[in-house]
Amino acid sequence: MKPTRRAALCATAALLLAGPAWAQDKWASRPIKLIVPYLAGTAPDTSARTLADAMGPLLGQSIVVDNRPGAAGNLGAQIAARSAPDGLTWVYAASPMAASMRMYKKPGFDVLKDFTMVGRVSMSDLVVIAQADAGLRNIADLVERARKSPKGLAYASGGIGSPAHMGAELMLQTAGIEANHVPFKGASDSVTAVIGKQVDFALAITSVALTQIKSGRVVPLAITSAQRNPVLPQVPTLVEQGLAGAVMVSFGGLAVPAGTPAPIVARINEVLRMALAKPDVKAAIEGQGSIPAPSSPQEYAEVMRAEIDKTERMMKAARLEPN
């Protein structure tokens, strides 16, 4: 254990022994850093900033969002994993952190060993979208078109190995059809590709495609979660359309470096739940097409573990090898 890490642990232990009041909030003696392993303006960043604004006053301390994009989110996770376990460094721990355990041979961190999960923030689904004038209105139409197309249909995703790519391959495999994958640099680009008729359809995070769906520029064919999305209640799920084996959701939450004292983890979880119960926070998350989904630290750790296993199955469906 490095001296700085040992010193942080000793200092935190001293605070916890000082009494219940210290154990709850006095550890937050300095501004809290919330590392977001993604670019500013992305959905995780927006959620993190909403939480920072809501949780800071509850703890009596400012929470500073620190964007550390790079290496598909692995860079920010590596920085967070090396931080002192004193409760003053958090990381926005989303499903890609779990997926990296199988996507990369050397991601630079272990999501289950280097972190203690604090709790889930929200869940998001993906939506299957098609060109507005393509005559496709549901998954049955897509399957029929794929089987009749001599050259095969083309679909877009936010990149090779992205949740949209693997989710699409899982959907295609479940439906018993094939389509040509055309990767783009991000989810927004994949939606634009559908609008521009570069591809026939795409899977995209619902929050990213929502504006174009509401404008009528693309048509939603299905939601990938097990339940309908309240933002798009008219769109049936893949389960409703006979593809129960292709359910897929993404999620986001908070984590801290492993070794962070349990009372601090419990207090952060408590404040996280309080923030998610606020009407304005709930509205902000739902406005992105996500659903607030608080959990205990233990429950979120199990969610992460299950995502690792599911990533392995989806990689096999997509015929992907670790990078």
Side-chain angles (χ1 to χ4, degrees), residues 178-225:
E178 295 183 354
N180 301 308
H181 178 219
V182 183
F184 287 82
K185 292 183 179 180
S188 295
D189 291 340
S190 69
V191 175
T192 301
V194 174
I195 295 171
K197 299 184 178 181
Q198 296 172 263
V199 294
D200 299 288
F201 69 99
L203 260 71
I205 297 292
T206 302
S207 58
V208 175
L210 192 58
T211 299
Q212 304 300 347
I213 291 172
K214 289 184 174 180
S215 70
R217 301 186 75 185
V218 297
V219 175
L221 306 183
I223 293 292
T224 64
S225 61

Side-chain angles (χ1 to χ4, degrees), residues 35-40 42 66-79 96-97 100 104 107 109:
I35 295 175
V36 177
Y38 311 101
L39 291 168
T42 57
D66 183 11
N67 294 95
R68 294 298 186 98
N74 290 347
L75 177 61
Q78 292 166 12
I79 294 170
M97 280 179 61
S100 288
Y104 298 93
F109 67 95

